[in-house]
Amino acid sequence: MIGSHGTSAFASVRRHFDHPRIKDAIALTITVNGEADETTAEPVRLTVAAAHEALYGPDSDPRLSAAIWEATLAAAQTDATPHGTAKLLAIRLSLPMLSGTVHRVCGRLRADRSDVESEMILAFLGELAASEPATPLHITPLIKAARTRAWRFAREGLREIPSTQVERVSQDRALTPAGTTESGSSPEVLDVQVDRPDGPEGLRAPLRFRVRPEHLREEALTVTPGGAAVRPPAYRPRRRRRSRHRVGTLPIRPSAGRP
């Protein structure tokens, strides 16, 4: 599940590999070449925790780290099984290189952490999918693609300005009847239009939708040209039951065929 904090994308990956049946299982079998690449040591079998420690621990060895990434990414490139964990393992071992970027992106651009993490994982997997299985893949391009995607996603989100106008619809704009019958009885629905406000903040375009009168607790108000709120003469809402919802915070049901 993707969410915030404990249920974020990165946390979900960590929890998967922290499961007792997976945590102690052998994840990688690697071989480390000698310094002159003339001798080959015996294969080394590593758990996820051991591979993580070898990559990021205080005693990390560049040759061992290179061998771990080579084996991890080669397995991820060829993993085509629906429930395979090779790609997930590559993500898990990459998290320390991605978490710092998540922190900086969210702190500077106020992006949602769960969304940023999800975008980074998608970029990481996209680079894996675009690679040729026969071509050795390095971890650096994958990390770069994930970081770039995170910053781009957060900057694009800055262009989306949240608006509270719908919640304040009874104060900002009018609720007008969609039409009255010949006898002047209450209409079946009300047309609600929220115009785009002046200035850079708020909605990007006008909104129009319909709401049934029985959903209203109070009588709808019309804003006159002078700014005073008056009751529409032809409209009297029916009070079928008491509700704690106020005008402007009601559930709105869009009507088919309306723009």
Side-chain angles (χ1 to χ4, degrees):
M1 179 182 296
I2 304 300
S4 60
H5 303 294
T7 57
S8 69
F10 286 7
S12 297
V13 174
R14 292 188 183 97
R15 281 199 306 272
H16 174 79
F17 287 101
D18 285 342
H19 192 280
R21 289 185 300 178
I22 299 176
K23 183 177 182 179
D24 298 328
I26 299 299
L28 291 171
T29 300
I30 65 173
T31 56
V32 182
N33 294 327
E35 294 183 0
D37 292 333
E38 297 177 353
T39 60
T40 301
E42 293 293 327
V44 178
R45 296 165 62 84
L46 299 174
T47 64
V48 176
H52 187 277
E53 179 67 19
L55 289 172
Y56 303 106
D59 299 325
S60 60
D61 181 357
R63 290 183 296 113
L64 179 58
S65 297
I68 291 173
W69 283 122
E70 181 181 356
T72 300
L73 297 179
Q77 283 180 293
T78 57
D79 182 13
T81 58
H83 303 290
T85 59
K87 290 183 175 64
L88 202 60
L89 175 61
I91 295 171
R92 174 64 186 94
L93 295 179
S94 302
L95 292 187
M97 291 186 284
L98 300 177
S99 297
T101 300
V102 173
H103 180 75
R104 288 189 293 273
V105 169
C106 295
R108 296 179 187 177
L109 302 181
R110 298 182 180 274
D112 181 80
R113 184 181 186 89
S114 298
D115 290 341
V116 172
E117 291 178 356
S118 298
E119 290 293 324
M120 295 182 87
I121 289 177
L122 288 175
F124 190 98
L125 294 176
E127 286 295 310
L128 276 176
S131 64
E132 293 292 336
T135 304
L137 184 63
H138 299 283
I139 189 60
T140 302
L142 278 73
I143 298 300
K144 182 179 180 180
R147 290 172 174 171
T148 301
R149 178 80 162 263
W151 285 108
R152 183 185 301 120
F153 170 80
R155 290 190 178 102
E156 289 175 352
L158 289 179
R159 303 170 190 164
E160 300 176 0
I161 304 174
S163 174
T164 59
Q165 278 195 269
V166 175
E167 288 83 354
R168 304 193 316 265
V169 63
S170 64
Q171 302 173 13
D172 296 341
R173 293 294 183 266
L175 291 178
T176 59
T180 57
T181 63
E182 294 181 358
S183 60
S185 59
S186 299
E188 290 293 330
V189 294
L190 294 178
D191 276 347
V192 179
Q193 179 163 333
V194 184
D195 295 330
R196 179 182 177 184
D198 297 330
E201 297 183 357
L203 301 175
R204 293 302 181 92
L207 296 179
R208 181 184 295 174
F209 45 91
R210 306 190 112 187
V211 57
R212 297 183 64 85
E214 58 264 29
H215 291 159
L216 300 179
R217 178 177 181 270
E218 301 174 1
E219 297 180 352
L221 300 179
T222 299
V223 179
T224 65
V230 299
R231 294 168 180 157
Y235 173 61
R236 293 294 183 271
R238 292 170 291 179
R239 298 188 180 184
R240 294 187 176 182
R241 60 180 181 180
R242 295 184 61 84
S243 172
R244 295 184 179 179
H245 294 294
R246 296 180 298 175
V247 175
T249 59
L250 302 173
I252 303 301
R253 299 179 180 178
S255 176
R258 299 295 298 182

